[in-house]
């Protein structure tokens, strides 16, 4: 039986890293837009929401800052057949978003309580 090494390689080696980069880009944009949305709370909850918006934008900037390195690592992984997930990035982003939610709820409860 002859095994074709080409059959196991991806049809387009750049496709998976591109899709992942686009997903992280959408996440970055969503968190940034939510940060801007927090500013709509300013008249109701005071200057605390500016801090919340800045934290959201900091999360967006951290995603942006790590994007190029993540893309290169995934491109090499696809090329060499050793692609691995980035659980720290995913868990860190999830934890940051959860913290933003908790901070938002606390701001609402403290200023309206």
């Amino acid at each position: 039986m002859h095994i074709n090494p080409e059959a196991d390689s991806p049809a387009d080696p750049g496709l998976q890293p591109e899709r992942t980069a686009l997903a992280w880009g959408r996440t970055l944009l969503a968190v940034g837009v939510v940060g801007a949305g927090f500013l709509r709370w300013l008249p109701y909850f005071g200057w605390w929401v500016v801090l919340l918006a800045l934290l959201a934008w900091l999360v967006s900037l951290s995603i942006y800052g790590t994007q190029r390195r993540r893309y290169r690592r995934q491109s090499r992984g696809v090329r060499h057949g050793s692609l691995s997930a980035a659980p720290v990035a995913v868990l860190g982003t999830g934890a940051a978003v959860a913290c933003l939610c908790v901070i938002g709820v606390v701001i609402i409860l403290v200023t309206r309580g």
Side-chain angles (χ1 to χ4, degrees):
M1 180 173 164
H2 178 68
I3 298 175
N4 183 0
E6 300 280 334
D8 293 332
S9 65
D12 182 359
L15 189 59
Q16 180 61 41
E18 289 295 328
R19 285 195 317 248
T20 303
L22 288 171
W24 278 107
R26 287 188 302 269
T27 303
L28 167 131
L29 183 62
V31 174
V33 168
V34 167
F38 286 144
L39 294 178
R40 294 188 66 193
W41 291 2
L42 192 59
Y44 308 103
F45 301 106
W47 67 273
W48 290 102
V49 295
V50 174
L51 176 64
L52 193 58
L54 290 174
L55 289 173
W57 294 330
L58 184 65
V59 171
S60 291
L61 284 174
S62 70
I63 293 171
Y64 180 77
T66 59
Q67 188 64 2
R68 181 177 297 251
R69 182 176 40 113
R70 189 180 314 101
Y71 179 80
R72 282 192 202 136
R73 187 183 68 223
Q74 287 183 340
S75 293
R76 278 192 307 270
V78 167
R79 205 173 22 248
H80 299 297
S82 63
L83 186 62
S84 61
V88 173
V90 173
L91 289 173
T93 302
V97 169
C99 287
L100 289 170
C101 293
V102 169
I103 293 169
V105 169
V106 167
I107 288 172
I108 292 170
L109 293 175
V110 168
T111 59
R112 295 293 178 189

